[in-house]
Amino acid sequence: MPEQPLARTETGIGHSVRRREDQRLLRGQGRFVGDMTVPGQLHAAFLRSPHAHARILRLRTETARAMSGVVAIFTGTDLRTAGVGSLPSGWVVRDRAGRPNAEPPHYPLATDKVRHVGEPLAVVIAETQAAARDAAEAIEADYEVLDAAADLGTALAAEAPRVWDHLPGNLCCDWEIGDLAAVEAAFARAAHRVRLTLTNNRLVPAPMEPRAALATHDTAMGTTTLWTTSQNPHTVRGTLCGSVLNIPETDLRVVSPDVGGGFGTKIFLYPEETTLTWAARRLGRAIRWVGDRTESFLTDVQGRDHRTEAELALDAEGTFIGLRVVTLANVGAYLTGGATAIPTYYYAPLLAGVYRTPAIWCNVKLTFTNTVSVDAYRGAGRPEASYVLERLVDEAAKVTGIDRVALRRRNFIGADQFPYATPLGLEYDSGDHESTLRLALEAADLDGFPARKEEARRRGRLRGFGISTYVEIAGGTPSRVVGQLGGRGARSESAQVRVHPSGAVTVFSGAHSHGQGHETTFAQIVADRLGVPFERVRLVQGDTDQVPFGRGTAASRSLVVGGSAIVKAMDKIVAKGRRIAAHRLEASAEDIVFEPGLFRVDGTDRAMTFAEVARAAYTPHDYPIDEIEPGLDETAFYDPKNWTYPGGCHVCELEVDPETGEVALEKVVAVDDLGAIINPMIVHGQVHGGLAQGAGQALLEGCCFDEAGQMLTASFQDYAMPRAHDLPAFTVLTHGTPCEHNPLKAKGCAEVGSVGLPPAVVNALLDALREAGVRDISMPATPQRVWQAIQNASHTSTARL
């Protein structure tokens, strides 16, 4: 008789299994780069520009070189002379005439000019961190300070200072999508036209863990290891080894251990880790750098920063017939990995939203400024699109007199209309917008809102109710589409599933977690599919020497793409297991049926457990070796066929104190269509995190610069992150329609909170402020901004009287 398969506990797909990684993290046993040390390590500190725009006239390093503990000082000229190349962008988009976007060089250390505050000019390598910092401060730098183009609104003017001398007007690319002629025809026949000027405020990602790097070099082997806080170590290795350092990939190992948050800002290759890798190879020593919070504010990639003019055309019945959008998008001084793709391909196609608008046109002007780079931040283009569209829809409801809920329902893509091709090139495979809207309004008790509003009025408060219905793209871009759109890399993902002789499983994944719980959810997938006990599945990630080539984690791709690669690898495991079982059970492989934990001859009681097949795979005493290789270890790559399209409805109810402008979030309801869900608890946690960041953008967070390009919000004293008391107890519900093109039927969940909530908050705020005469307000709607809007509206009303 075969061994009995172990009983399966509630650890498979669909169960809220507690995160196994939390055990070490909560006990302070996580492995973070900032905590790592090696014997004999040196320390790095960077000299950074105090100016947003200046010519470097001279660097005097003699005094610093003579200071105690200093081992070396390198400048941008040193790296250029040694052949260190420019950090490349990951995408090339083309303008209206088909010309590629401008792509100025981005050298790790500045040589001729500095173009934003905090840009590194030199690195000091010393025996201690204190010695490195002291010596960096002792370097004497002479600058010719230049006028800065720090404001997005004026950077394109002919007379604006040039970030790059060869680019008049600071234009990186004038890009468009859609059918302008069809849109103009729609506006010509429209019964109603709605126009808004909108700002998507600039945000600082601010993960808990600042960036850090530790580079070591083995002089005997000629190999270097870079430990870094990265969301995708293979991309860091590939970029470094390519045109930047021009070394074989076999000479560089990149390891990203536990990462304390990323939100997009840790996707990219930065000057600091580039410089450390080169210097470690040059000196043959280990070098460590840990950024402080000020460096994070000044140098880490930031998000959003759009200025938009948007117009919606409707017919007499309130049907959307045309949408016209013009956006200025800040890319900062240098292009990073997705800087040109986020404000174009990850933004404009989402302007179709959940609606059947037949004609849409969008023009995006990518603009250089003397500020740190702007690129992916949680949602990456999709929150910007959702905000534009949902603000327009609420405004259209006011103009037409149609109820805002009825107007949305009138224009929804129906559940029976999927798959649905939008006029901007996307094909939504599934969705049910009517149901998510209905469930959200029921959970938020819209019917009871008038009574709550009246009760608030008696207390001297203004109460508002806001709605946002959205769809986003997630799960990574299909490689075929990436190539067509100008991406320089593919988007497939790898997984290796290694079954050990005991039946235990190790999964090697090219995805990489920075808080998402991969060690738990990936183990759940394996436990569910193979019938292996959850406790006997382990995950290896974040190490380019152990994991097949992968693209890390961004754009809610881990489960959708990385998880699908694991499923493909398991399919290969099962296929080989059937052949092994067929040999041992003296049956045809076609007659072997696999159910989790058991291989069985169809129609009989003859069977082998998964563990027995695993043991047999490594003890091929009587195998036909020419037909069945020993071992049970398979690798697979998965390339998505399409984006996935999470969607849903977010509702916000809030109160305003008109005397102070203070806004209190009273209720937030999120009903999201995320496809199939592996671990509901982790999904809820991801949605909560996105909602918190969405609320932060709407009400608190805003990164500001003065005319000289100095950041005015360069610490948490000036940059207002949401705290626990700023947030209500979120109500998070799901109503999923399955994705039709990946084996897990999943859509992605990590970014929906930041996509759906900001317009719901602002719509609720304007609903509350309407009786005070306020018609518009910009994010972040801080108490000062809300109070000022009320005062302005009051003065305007008085003047009219």
Side-chain angles (χ1 to χ4, degrees):
M1 293 289 293
E3 297 178 7
Q4 294 300 309
L6 294 175
R8 298 174 66 199
T9 59
E10 292 187 347
T11 54
I13 291 175
H15 295 287
S16 291
V17 181
R18 288 192 175 188
R19 292 175 18 133
R20 67 192 330 171
E21 47 269 81
D22 288 349
Q23 292 298 314
R24 69 171 189 277
L25 296 176
L26 293 173
R27 292 171 179 169
Q29 297 173 334
R31 196 182 187 199
F32 296 92
V33 176
D35 298 326
M36 296 177 61
T37 60
V38 296
Q41 70 185 9
L42 301 174
H43 298 264
F46 289 87
L47 172 67
R48 300 187 182 278
S49 169
H51 307 294
H53 197 200
R55 287 192 179 89
I56 305 169
L57 301 180
R58 186 166 58 166
L59 289 178
R60 292 191 290 272
T61 62
E62 295 79 7
T63 300
R65 290 180 191 276
M67 293 176 69
S68 175
V70 173
V71 174
I73 297 177
F74 299 112
T75 67
T77 300
D78 294 326
L79 270 66
R80 290 284 302 279
T81 302
V84 177
S86 169
L87 309 183
S89 172
W91 289 74
V92 177
V93 303
R94 296 186 176 273
D95 68 11
R96 305 187 200 198
R99 296 168 299 202
N101 63 263
E103 188 178 358
H106 183 193
Y107 294 105
L109 300 178
T111 55
D112 58 341
K113 270 188 177 184
V114 290
R115 293 179 171 84
H116 68 84
V117 173
E119 182 173 1
L121 296 81
V123 62
V124 176
I125 313 295
E127 297 288 351
T128 66
Q129 187 177 48
R133 288 183 172 179
D134 288 346
E137 291 180 3
I139 297 175
E140 299 176 56
D142 294 335
Y143 302 94
E144 177 191 351
V145 179
L146 305 171
D147 291 337
D151 177 59
L152 177 60
T154 60
L156 290 177
E159 66 276 9
R162 295 187 184 184
V163 179
W164 295 94
D165 292 341
H166 67 289
L167 293 177
N170 296 314
L171 183 65
C172 173
C173 189
D174 187 356
W175 179 91
E176 68 176 353
I177 190 172
D179 188 337
L180 180 57
V183 169
E184 290 178 340
F187 272 87
R189 68 176 188 275
H192 305 283
R193 300 174 185 83
V194 178
R195 181 185 179 93
L196 286 176
T197 299
L198 301 165
T199 297
N200 253 282
N201 40 320
R202 187 171 181 136
L203 302 177
V204 174
M208 286 191 294
E209 178 197 28
R211 289 189 296 114
L214 171 65
T216 65
H217 186 66
D218 186 332
T219 55
M221 298 297 295
T223 57
T224 306
T225 299
L226 172 65
W227 300 79
T228 183
T229 51
S230 174
Q231 296 176 216
N232 49 3
H234 273 100
T235 298
V236 168
R237 183 182 71 166
T239 307
L240 266 175
C241 292
S243 58
V244 179
L245 298 182
N246 193 26
I247 61 175
E249 288 177 304
T250 51
D251 286 357
L252 179 63
R253 176 188 181 190
V254 176
V255 182
S256 183
D258 288 322
V259 176
F263 312 124
T265 195
K266 293 178 182 174
I267 294 172
F268 316 106
L269 174 65
Y270 282 91
E272 292 83 3
E273 56 199 351
T274 302
T275 303
L276 256 66
T277 304
W278 175 84
R281 294 176 64 84
R282 176 74 168 258
L283 299 175
R285 298 280 299 274
I287 308 173
R288 178 177 182 263
W289 169 77
V290 179
D292 59 31
R293 187 59 67 179
T294 298
E295 288 178 296
S296 295
F297 269 92
L298 295 178
T299 66
D300 290 6
V301 165
Q302 297 173 356
R304 314 289 192 253
D305 207 352
H306 285 194
R307 311 281 177 85
T308 296
E309 297 285 342
E311 302 170 276
L312 180 65
L314 303 88
D315 66 15
E317 287 73 41
T319 301
F320 303 162
I321 59 174
L323 176 64
R324 181 164 53 207
V325 178
V326 176
T327 294
L328 303 183
N330 199 340
V331 297
Y334 297 98
L335 298 181
T336 45
T340 57
I342 300 305
T344 54
Y345 293 117
Y346 281 82
Y347 162 66
L350 269 298
L351 291 169
V354 298
Y355 307 112
R356 292 174 284 104
T357 310
I360 305 174
W361 176 81
C362 179
N363 171 221
V364 178
K365 293 180 173 64
L366 303 172
T367 309
F368 287 112
T369 61
N370 288 116
T371 64
V372 70
S373 299
V374 181
D375 204 309
Y377 171 61
R378 197 171 197 165
R382 291 94 82 196
E384 295 92 311
S386 174
Y387 184 69
V388 170
L389 188 57
E390 289 303 293
R391 285 289 312 279
L392 278 174
V393 173
D394 256 34
E395 188 66 18
K398 298 170 189 174
V399 169
T400 61
I402 301 173
D403 176 77
R404 55 190 168 173
V405 174
L407 185 63
R408 285 175 167 84
R409 284 176 166 148
R410 186 169 303 181
N411 288 281
F412 273 163
I413 301 163
D416 60 348
Q417 294 178 301
F418 293 96
Y420 182 86
T422 78
L424 296 179
L426 300 180
E427 183 173 279
Y428 304 155
D429 61 324
S430 66
D432 186 356
H433 307 308
E434 168 59 36
S435 292
T436 54
L437 173 64
R438 174 179 51 78
L439 291 169
L441 296 180
E442 289 174 357
D445 185 21
L446 175 59
D447 292 341
F449 174 70
R452 296 192 296 275
K453 185 178 182 69
E454 179 58 33
E455 188 276 333
R457 183 181 290 111
R458 290 194 293 269
R459 291 185 284 108
R461 297 294 190 267
L462 306 176
R463 199 168 181 107
F465 192 97
I467 303 166
S468 167
T469 47
Y470 76 93
V471 68
E472 68 137 330
I473 52 174
T477 317
S479 293
R480 170 183 51 82
V481 177
V482 170
Q484 293 171 350
L485 301 183
R488 286 176 166 152
R491 291 298 182 270
S492 57
E493 193 49 82
S494 71
Q496 180 183 6
V497 175
R498 181 177 298 168
V499 181
H500 301 281
S502 65
V505 176
T506 300
V507 175
F508 301 83
S509 173
H512 184 42
S513 60
H514 42 281
Q516 293 90 340
H518 293 178
E519 293 176 45
T520 303
T521 52
F522 287 179
Q524 286 181 258
I525 295 170
V526 173
D528 192 88
R529 293 278 178 138
L530 296 184
V532 176
F534 173 80
E535 297 78 12
R536 302 187 74 184
V537 183
R538 288 291 177 266
L539 174 67
V540 175
Q541 58 181 344
D543 186 339
T544 60
D545 270 13
Q546 294 193 67
V547 175
F549 184 86
R551 283 292 178 182
T553 293
S556 303
R557 72 188 301 274
S558 294
L559 180 65
V560 171
V561 187
S564 294
I566 293 171
V567 171
K568 284 190 67 176
M570 287 192 293
D571 288 345
K572 294 182 179 181
I573 292 289
V574 170
K576 185 172 182 179
R578 291 175 66 228
R579 294 169 62 203
I580 294 170
H583 172 73
R584 286 295 178 90
L585 296 171
E586 298 180 340
S588 168
E590 289 73 22
D591 291 333
I592 300 296
V593 176
F594 177 73
E595 53 198 49
L598 195 69
F599 291 89
R600 179 173 51 81
V601 180
D602 193 21
T604 75
D605 61 355
R606 290 187 296 143
M608 293 179 70
T609 66
F610 185 84
E612 288 175 322
V613 169
R615 185 159 53 248
Y618 292 94
T619 53
H621 294 165
D622 60 348
Y623 273 21
I625 296 299
D626 55 339
E627 297 178 14
I628 306 176
E629 294 182 0
L632 199 53
D633 188 340
E634 298 289 348
T635 299
F637 283 79
Y638 177 81
D639 201 316
K641 297 177 181 178
N642 189 3
W643 282 285
T644 64
Y645 301 97
C649 178
H650 290 182
V651 172
C652 174
E653 188 170 329
L654 52 76
E655 280 192 2
V656 179
D657 182 345
E659 298 298 321
T660 65
E662 184 177 3
V663 178
L665 296 179
E666 298 295 331
K667 185 182 300 184
V668 168
V669 175
V671 180
D672 300 297
D673 177 358
L674 308 173
I677 292 175
I678 305 302
N679 185 313
M681 179 190 68
I682 288 179
V683 165
H684 280 220
Q686 287 285 297
V687 175
H688 275 238
L691 292 172
Q693 287 177 298
Q697 176 173 11
L699 297 176
L700 297 168
E701 299 181 51
C703 182
C704 303
F705 298 83
D706 67 13
E707 292 181 356
Q710 295 291 334
M711 190 184 296
L712 303 177
T713 51
S715 76
F716 289 133
Q717 289 182 313
D718 302 298
Y719 187 89
M721 294 276 283
R723 301 183 181 185
H725 72 265
D726 296 313
L727 305 172
F730 300 134
T731 298
V732 174
L733 305 171
T734 57
H735 177 76
T737 59
C739 175
E740 299 296 342
H741 54 78
N742 70 63
L744 289 169
K745 307 298 184 184
K747 294 186 176 183
C749 69
E751 296 167 292
V752 296
S754 63
V755 174
L757 187 58
V761 172
V762 177
N763 284 342
L765 181 57
L766 291 173
D767 185 53
L769 295 176
R770 185 183 306 179
E771 60 187 275
V774 177
R775 296 292 178 261
D776 193 19
I777 198 163
S778 294
M779 298 189 295
T782 60
Q784 189 277 337
R785 184 169 282 175
V786 172
W787 180 87
Q788 191 63 62
I790 294 171
Q791 301 309 305
N792 293 344
S794 175
H795 294 157
T796 300
S797 299
T798 302
R800 286 174 180 168
L801 292 175

